[in-house]
Amino acid sequence: MPNRKKIPIILDGDPGHDDAIAWVLAHASGRFHILAVTTAAGNQTIEKTTYNALRVCTLIGLHVPVAKGCRKPLLTEPMNAPSVHGESGLDGPALPEPAFDAQPEGAVELMARVIRNSEDKVTIVSTGPMTNTAAFLLAHPELKDRIERISMMGGGLALGNWTPAAEFNILVDPDAAKIVFESGVPILMAGLDVTEKALILPEDFERIRAQHNPVSDIVWQWLEFFYRFHRSIGYAGAPMHDPCAVMALIHPEIFTIRDYYVQIETCGDYCKGATVPDWYGLSGHVPNASCILDVDRKAFADLLVETIAVYGEKMP
Ligand code: RIB
Ligand code: CA
């Protein structure tokens, strides 16, 4: 395999079980130069997601700057998801206490610092509400062209998961999502259309559990916890929402991707937070997002299992 140049990225998320697994994947894949981690309020409060981020980074040996993000959405009130991720936001197995503190600067300032200083354009991997990314774009328009693209988990072209029309990440901060989708920065969108097909099955949990390395010992338990909620509503496995935003950067060949112009609904009684695709080009706008529609589930699962095994060979 040619020694490809690593993609410089910032991980922005609200860990969150699937955010944590996305970060486990990113770090062990060997394909990224992770410049920073920034935390969002979403699955839990910003304090809890920041504490969780520091614990996940400690667990996987990812010692990069971590900065706390915006405490609440740009305009709306915070929403959390304890029913899915628990009161801590990362319920389940005990995790190490953070080996280091968060940066004194906030997420927007850290994003600006690492993007400004990066030799190459930076990819933002957004796996929570997009408040930080929107705030960064508003505060630093001069750095917009230094962003390669935003690979994000959020939305659903055909469905929602928090309301019939809206997916959680977009619904928490639809105004932020609108700013990002209208920014002109290239977007790779992993919406529910694909993430609900990217299922890790109980048999895959066992493959990870059998690896018996310091990270696999935790990941299979995260999967078990995350699956508990989803099994109760009929899922055959744990949907790997956030890992799709990472895996699509590493292995786009296992996905089906189409370009559409996507608009964000920011108001309305029934459709607030919807990601509305212009399927037939009726808007006259050129596409603003590469939308992921499908995935080879077995290939996805095998790649995730194989990557987690890396933590047994050597910590990345
Ligand atoms: O709707 C799924 C998304 O909401 C994922 O990012 C999950 O972590 C939660 O934030
Ligand atoms: Ca998330």
Side-chain angles (χ1 to χ4, degrees), residues 108 134-142:
V108 170
F136 166 74
L137 290 169
L138 291 173
H140 295 282
E142 77 285 359

Side-chain angles (χ1 to χ4, degrees), residues 202 205 222-232 235-238:
F205 305 175
W222 281 340
L223 287 164
E224 283 264 338
F225 183 91
F226 196 52
Y227 178 44
R228 212 173 293 168
F229 166 81
H230 290 90
R231 181 176 51 204
S232 71
Y235 283 68

